[in-house]
Amino acid sequence: MSMYGLLILVHIVAAVAGLGASFAMPVVMKIPETSHQAKFSLELSKKIETFAKIGSIVLLITGLIMGIMNPYLFKAGWYIAPIVIYIGVQFIVAGIMPKKVKQMAEIIHSHKGDDVPESQEKTNKHLKHSITLYKSPPMILFS
């Protein structure tokens, strides 16, 4: 296998690990019906987030290296569009999502009952909306 072929393999694995993990997070956060389950979901989502972050960074790096190895890619719209989208959604991924997850953790850890607080559910819905916006641009491009 050539160096470029190995790079493509790493790029594909990173895409599956990173994007797959980001699609799993809303599912995990939707399940809790009790405060104990919500705490577990938050902890699990933190672990899933690690895969999403690493996969996303590796995806960007391998993609840019492939572009450096084949400079003509920087003139291809299908190559440039995902990079622009990646940069564009970083304010959601790096700004909005961590704040909302922290807010949800504070709400659930300070809650005394066994039910899921209403404010937790509202924050979770807002977070899901942010994640939907994060995932939407690639879907629009390739639909």
Side-chain angles (χ1 to χ4, degrees), residues 113-139:
D114 194 38
D115 61 323
V116 177
E118 188 177 321
S119 56
Q120 167 86 5
E121 292 176 10
K122 286 180 183 176
T123 305
N124 194 14
K125 285 180 184 177
H126 190 268
L127 180 61
K128 286 179 194 173
H129 180 69
S130 298
I131 291 170
T132 303
L133 289 174
Y134 164 66
K135 292 189 294 193
S136 293
M139 298 302 177

Side-chain angles (χ1 to χ4, degrees), residues 20-132:
S22 68
F23 279 93
M25 288 175 73
V27 174
V28 168
M29 295 308 294
K30 184 179 181 180
I31 296 171
E33 295 177 7
T34 67
S35 62
H36 181 71
Q37 290 174 349
K39 289 175 187 176
F40 176 77
S41 293
L42 280 169
E43 291 303 315
L44 184 59
S45 73
K46 286 180 188 176
K47 292 179 176 154
I48 292 172
E49 182 182 10
T50 302
F51 285 102
K53 285 180 179 178
I54 293 169
S56 179
I57 291 167
V58 171
L59 192 63
L60 178 66
I61 291 169
T62 56
L64 291 174
I65 291 171
M66 286 188 280
I68 291 167
M69 292 172 80
N70 295 306
Y72 72 88
L73 290 175
F74 288 107
K75 295 177 184 172
W78 64 266
Y79 179 81
I80 296 169
I83 294 171
V84 170
I85 292 168
Y86 180 88
I87 293 167
V89 299
Q90 287 311 300
F91 79 94
I92 294 171
V93 176
I96 295 173
M97 287 176 59
K99 289 177 187 172
K100 291 297 177 185
V101 170
K102 183 179 178 183
Q103 185 180 11
M104 288 170 58
E106 289 171 357
I107 291 168
I108 200 66
H109 288 298
S110 66
H111 184 66
K112 299 294 182 211
D114 194 38
D115 61 323
V116 177
E118 188 177 321
S119 56
Q120 167 86 5
E121 292 176 10
K122 286 180 183 176
T123 305
N124 194 14
K125 285 180 184 177
H126 190 268
L127 180 61
K128 286 179 194 173
H129 180 69
S130 298
I131 291 170
T132 303

